[in-house]
PDB file of all heavy atoms in Angstrom:
ATOM      1  N   VAL D 412      20.532  14.600 -35.847  1.00  0.00           N
ATOM      2  CA  VAL D 412      19.427  15.502 -36.158  1.00  0.00           C
ATOM      3  C   VAL D 412      19.755  16.938 -35.744  1.00  0.00           C
ATOM      4  O   VAL D 412      19.255  17.890 -36.348  1.00  0.00           O
ATOM      5  CB  VAL D 412      18.122  14.975 -35.512  1.00  0.00           C
ATOM      6  CG1 VAL D 412      16.967  15.934 -35.749  1.00  0.00           C
ATOM      7  CG2 VAL D 412      17.787  13.613 -36.089  1.00  0.00           C
ATOM      8  N   ALA D 413      20.636  17.105 -34.742  1.00  0.00           N
ATOM      9  CA  ALA D 413      20.952  18.460 -34.269  1.00  0.00           C
ATOM     10  C   ALA D 413      21.518  19.322 -35.398  1.00  0.00           C
ATOM     11  O   ALA D 413      21.152  20.492 -35.536  1.00  0.00           O
ATOM     12  CB  ALA D 413      21.935  18.398 -33.103  1.00  0.00           C
ATOM     13  N   SER D 414      22.411  18.739 -36.219  1.00  0.00           N
ATOM     14  CA  SER D 414      23.017  19.532 -37.296  1.00  0.00           C
ATOM     15  C   SER D 414      21.968  19.949 -38.318  1.00  0.00           C
ATOM     16  O   SER D 414      21.952  21.095 -38.784  1.00  0.00           O
ATOM     17  CB  SER D 414      24.126  18.726 -37.995  1.00  0.00           C
ATOM     18  OG  SER D 414      25.232  18.642 -37.127  1.00  0.00           O
ATOM     19  N   ALA D 415      21.062  19.009 -38.643  1.00  0.00           N
ATOM     20  CA  ALA D 415      19.995  19.339 -39.604  1.00  0.00           C
ATOM     21  C   ALA D 415      19.048  20.376 -39.006  1.00  0.00           C
ATOM     22  O   ALA D 415      18.597  21.300 -39.695  1.00  0.00           O
ATOM     23  CB  ALA D 415      19.226  18.069 -39.969  1.00  0.00           C
ATOM     24  N   LEU D 416      18.787  20.223 -37.708  1.00  0.00           N
ATOM     25  CA  LEU D 416      17.876  21.159 -37.042  1.00  0.00           C
ATOM     26  C   LEU D 416      18.460  22.573 -37.028  1.00  0.00           C
ATOM     27  O   LEU D 416      17.743  23.555 -37.201  1.00  0.00           O
ATOM     28  CB  LEU D 416      17.615  20.678 -35.607  1.00  0.00           C
ATOM     29  CG  LEU D 416      16.540  21.439 -34.828  1.00  0.00           C
ATOM     30  CD1 LEU D 416      15.174  21.284 -35.486  1.00  0.00           C
ATOM     31  CD2 LEU D 416      16.469  20.924 -33.384  1.00  0.00           C
ATOM     32  N   LEU D 417      19.777  22.653 -36.857  1.00  0.00           N
ATOM     33  CA  LEU D 417      20.435  23.967 -36.847  1.00  0.00           C
ATOM     34  C   LEU D 417      20.202  24.669 -38.188  1.00  0.00           C
ATOM     35  O   LEU D 417      19.837  25.850 -38.240  1.00  0.00           O
ATOM     36  CB  LEU D 417      21.929  23.806 -36.570  1.00  0.00           C
ATOM     37  CG  LEU D 417      22.755  25.081 -36.626  1.00  0.00           C
ATOM     38  CD1 LEU D 417      22.354  26.039 -35.514  1.00  0.00           C
ATOM     39  CD2 LEU D 417      24.246  24.773 -36.508  1.00  0.00           C
ATOM     40  N   GLU D 418      20.383  23.923 -39.262  1.00  0.00           N
ATOM     41  CA  GLU D 418      20.208  24.519 -40.601  1.00  0.00           C
ATOM     42  C   GLU D 418      18.749  24.968 -40.783  1.00  0.00           C
ATOM     43  O   GLU D 418      18.468  26.072 -41.236  1.00  0.00           O
ATOM     44  CB  GLU D 418      20.606  23.508 -41.680  1.00  0.00           C
ATOM     45  CG  GLU D 418      20.594  24.130 -43.044  1.00  0.00           C
ATOM     46  CD  GLU D 418      21.273  23.256 -44.110  1.00  0.00           C
ATOM     47  OE1 GLU D 418      21.815  22.196 -43.756  1.00  0.00           O
ATOM     48  OE2 GLU D 418      21.234  23.663 -45.281  1.00  0.00           O
ATOM     49  N   ARG D 419      17.823  24.082 -40.358  1.00  0.00           N
ATOM     50  CA  ARG D 419      16.401  24.408 -40.512  1.00  0.00           C
ATOM     51  C   ARG D 419      16.015  25.621 -39.657  1.00  0.00           C
ATOM     52  O   ARG D 419      15.301  26.522 -40.088  1.00  0.00           O
ATOM     53  CB  ARG D 419      15.539  23.193 -40.102  1.00  0.00           C
ATOM     54  CG  ARG D 419      14.086  23.370 -40.519  1.00  0.00           C
ATOM     55  CD  ARG D 419      13.108  22.618 -39.671  1.00  0.00           C
ATOM     56  NE  ARG D 419      13.269  21.175 -39.761  1.00  0.00           N
ATOM     57  CZ  ARG D 419      12.560  20.328 -39.009  1.00  0.00           C
ATOM     58  NH1 ARG D 419      11.695  20.776 -38.125  1.00  0.00           N
ATOM     59  NH2 ARG D 419      12.740  19.035 -39.121  1.00  0.00           N
ATOM     60  N   ALA D 420      16.547  25.653 -38.432  1.00  0.00           N
ATOM     61  CA  ALA D 420      16.195  26.744 -37.513  1.00  0.00           C
ATOM     62  C   ALA D 420      16.729  28.078 -38.040  1.00  0.00           C
ATOM     63  O   ALA D 420      16.057  29.102 -37.943  1.00  0.00           O
ATOM     64  CB  ALA D 420      16.745  26.454 -36.126  1.00  0.00           C
ATOM     65  N   LEU D 421      17.935  28.059 -38.621  1.00  0.00           N
ATOM     66  CA  LEU D 421      18.498  29.293 -39.178  1.00  0.00           C
ATOM     67  C   LEU D 421      17.642  29.782 -40.342  1.00  0.00           C
ATOM     68  O   LEU D 421      17.348  30.962 -40.469  1.00  0.00           O
ATOM     69  CB  LEU D 421      19.933  29.058 -39.658  1.00  0.00           C
ATOM     70  CG  LEU D 421      20.995  28.952 -38.549  1.00  0.00           C
ATOM     71  CD1 LEU D 421      22.303  28.397 -39.094  1.00  0.00           C
ATOM     72  CD2 LEU D 421      21.237  30.313 -37.896  1.00  0.00           C
TER      73      LEU D 421
END
Side-chain angles (χ1 to χ4, degrees):
V412 177
S414 288
L416 188 63
L417 176 66
E418 187 167 356
R419 192 207 296 175
L421 285 167

